[in-house]
Amino acid sequence: FTGSTPKTVTIASGTRTVSHNSDGSKSVAVSGYWRDNKNGLGSATASGTLSLSTIARATQPSLSKTSVNLGDTITINLPRASSSFTHRIYYNFFSAKGLTNGIANSTNATTSTTFTLPTALASTYMSRTTSNGMVVYVETKNGSTVIGTKSIALTVNVPNNSTYNPSILQPTWAETVSLITSSTPGVIVNGLSKPKFSAVATTRMGASISSIKINMSRTGYSWSGAMSVSGSTGTYTWSANGVTSWAISATVTDSRGRTATSPKLNIGVSAYSKPKLSSSAYRSQTDSTKIMVYAKATWSGLGATNTGNMEAFIRAKGASSWGTAVKTGSATTGTIEWATTAYGNYSESSSYEVMIRTKDELNSWTSV
């Protein structure tokens, strides 16, 4: 003391490293002893417990894999500092926070837990992407006390398989020219037909159709073009050209950028020409009352679907109508030919006109 004022005197000083407990806590016993040998003031002792600042020891998780397909299971390792620690686990994905679906133990995990990436994430959050980052958070608790939170990132992938990818059926076709539909069904007629191709696509797990294109190929040539899309169906109307065989397929692209191509549809385009006539007519040299007529019609039979007709008429020159045909015929072979034939009992002193006409299913009468 100096007078009545206490005075603090440093007797000794030093440092010592003190190891904390595994949970980060530590308290140490402190004691002191004092004795006055000079002034006869006696001695004193003091002791107590000093609580040190707790060192935060939140668990840093690790993952068995950091790039994971939806549906796969990984292990979240939790190397906790103390056996008294437990963990609350959640994850953030896209704009969603605090998700726990797929985590086996999200509220009271100890040393590890498993995490099965929900396939529903594809529909909910990944309809337009095949990969995205996820952050897993681990909150470490000692009883009800939160020690701290650590995180770890992983990459989530949409598997490249039939569960998630689009598919598309083989195209079909239907004629849009009603005359061909009713007259020569099932035949694609070069220069006349306008077949409409349709292809039905399916998308999966939340994806939508971005586009459908048609692919057309023949020997030495290939072409692709956009189909009109309505719902799940793509359509394309084509003006048939080129007497050849075509292989037709369709390719769908979904909103994730995944594609699928249909099986091929093989079609043939049939050559077509309008009916043509060749004919002749003259008086018989042996019997001038007879008119000799030759006629031949040719057209495209289109695989026996296109019926051709030919008719012959004879009338007095200048008559107002042709009357009834002297001969008629039809065939699907593409040819009708009548050998030179004698008709009637016609006056030798009158003049006569002869008309031959022909038509098929796709054209009206043409005459000579």
Side-chain angles (χ1 to χ4, degrees):
F1 290 90
T2 301
S4 61
T5 303
K7 183 180 181 182
T8 300
V9 178
T10 299
I11 300 172
S13 65
T15 61
R16 181 173 180 179
T17 300
V18 178
S19 298
H20 285 225
N21 298 324
S22 60
D23 63 2
S25 65
K26 184 65 177 180
S27 61
V28 293
V30 179
S31 64
Y33 171 75
W34 171 82
R35 184 175 67 179
D36 183 359
N37 292 327
K38 182 177 180 180
N39 301 308
L41 297 178
S43 63
T45 61
S47 63
T49 300
L50 176 63
S51 295
L52 305 182
S53 299
T54 299
I55 299 173
R57 294 197 173 183
T59 302
Q60 176 60 58
S62 65
L63 305 175
S64 58
K65 288 196 301 183
T66 56
S67 183
V68 190
N69 285 342
L70 294 176
D72 285 357
T73 299
I74 60 173
T75 299
I76 302 174
N77 299 301
L78 304 168
R80 58 185 181 174
S82 170
S83 61
S84 63
F85 288 175
T86 59
H87 306 92
R88 182 174 76 90
I89 305 171
Y90 58 93
Y91 57 93
N92 294 351
F93 194 53
F94 280 83
S95 59
K97 301 182 184 302
L99 303 176
T100 58
N101 292 341
I103 300 174
N105 186 348
S106 64
T107 59
N108 197 34
T110 54
T111 58
S112 68
T113 190
T114 58
F115 180 20
T116 301
L117 278 293
T119 58
L121 293 177
S123 301
T124 309
Y125 303 107
M126 303 183 75
S127 63
R128 295 183 175 276
T129 184
T130 59
S131 182
N132 201 75
M134 173 186 286
V135 179
V136 175
Y137 294 88
V138 173
E139 180 184 86
T140 304
K141 299 187 294 182
N142 188 1
S144 60
T145 301
V146 176
I147 294 173
T149 302
K150 298 284 187 177
S151 64
I152 190 168
L154 70 152
T155 300
V156 179
N157 307 303
V158 177
N160 189 7
N161 60 38
S162 59
T163 300
Y164 300 86
N165 292 352
S167 61
I168 189 165
L169 299 177
Q170 183 186 61
T172 59
W173 70 273
E175 182 60 67
T176 62
V177 178
S178 58
L179 177 62
I180 297 175
T181 301
S182 60
S183 302
T184 59
V187 180
I188 299 177
V189 182
N190 186 47
L192 295 178
S193 284
K194 292 185 177 180
K196 181 179 182 179
F197 296 101
S198 300
V200 178
T202 300
T203 55
R204 296 178 173 84
M205 301 299 285
S208 58
I209 293 175
S210 290
S211 66
I212 301 176
K213 68 177 183 179
I214 188 169
N215 313 301
M216 303 182 67
S217 63
R218 57 176 170 79
T219 303
Y221 176 80
S222 62
W223 175 85
S224 294
M227 302 182 83
S228 297
V229 179
S230 177
S232 60
T233 303
T235 58
Y236 181 81
T237 301
W238 178 60
S239 295
N241 65 81
V243 181
T244 185
S245 295
W246 292 86
I248 313 294
S249 64
T251 299
V252 59
T253 301
D254 71 6
S255 54
R256 295 190 183 100
R258 298 273 175 83
T259 63
T261 299
S262 72
K264 291 181 178 179
L265 168 70
N266 295 309
I267 63 169
V269 178
S270 297
Y272 176 74
S273 59
K274 296 180 179 181
K276 297 178 182 178
L277 279 171
S278 57
S279 63
S280 63
Y282 55 90
R283 291 268 190 179
S284 171
Q285 294 180 346
T286 59
D287 182 354
S288 58
T289 65
K290 303 294 184 183
I291 296 178
M292 311 299 293
V293 178
Y294 166 81
K296 180 179 181 181
T298 59
W299 69 97
S300 298
L302 301 176
T305 64
N306 187 23
T307 301
N309 296 272
M310 188 165 68
E311 296 179 344
F313 296 85
I314 301 175
R315 71 179 180 183
K317 186 176 180 179
S320 60
S321 68
W322 286 100
T324 303
V326 296
K327 189 169 185 177
T328 63
S330 65
T332 58
T333 58
T335 302
I336 300 175
E337 184 174 13
W338 296 333
T340 302
T341 305
Y343 293 96
N345 182 19
Y346 297 98
S347 170
E348 297 178 76
S349 61
S350 299
S351 296
Y352 296 88
E353 296 174 323
V354 176
M355 179 180 71
I356 308 299
R357 68 177 187 176
T358 185
K359 72 171 185 175
D360 66 358
E361 300 286 353
L362 305 178
N363 286 274
S364 59
W365 294 104
T366 182
S367 61
V368 173

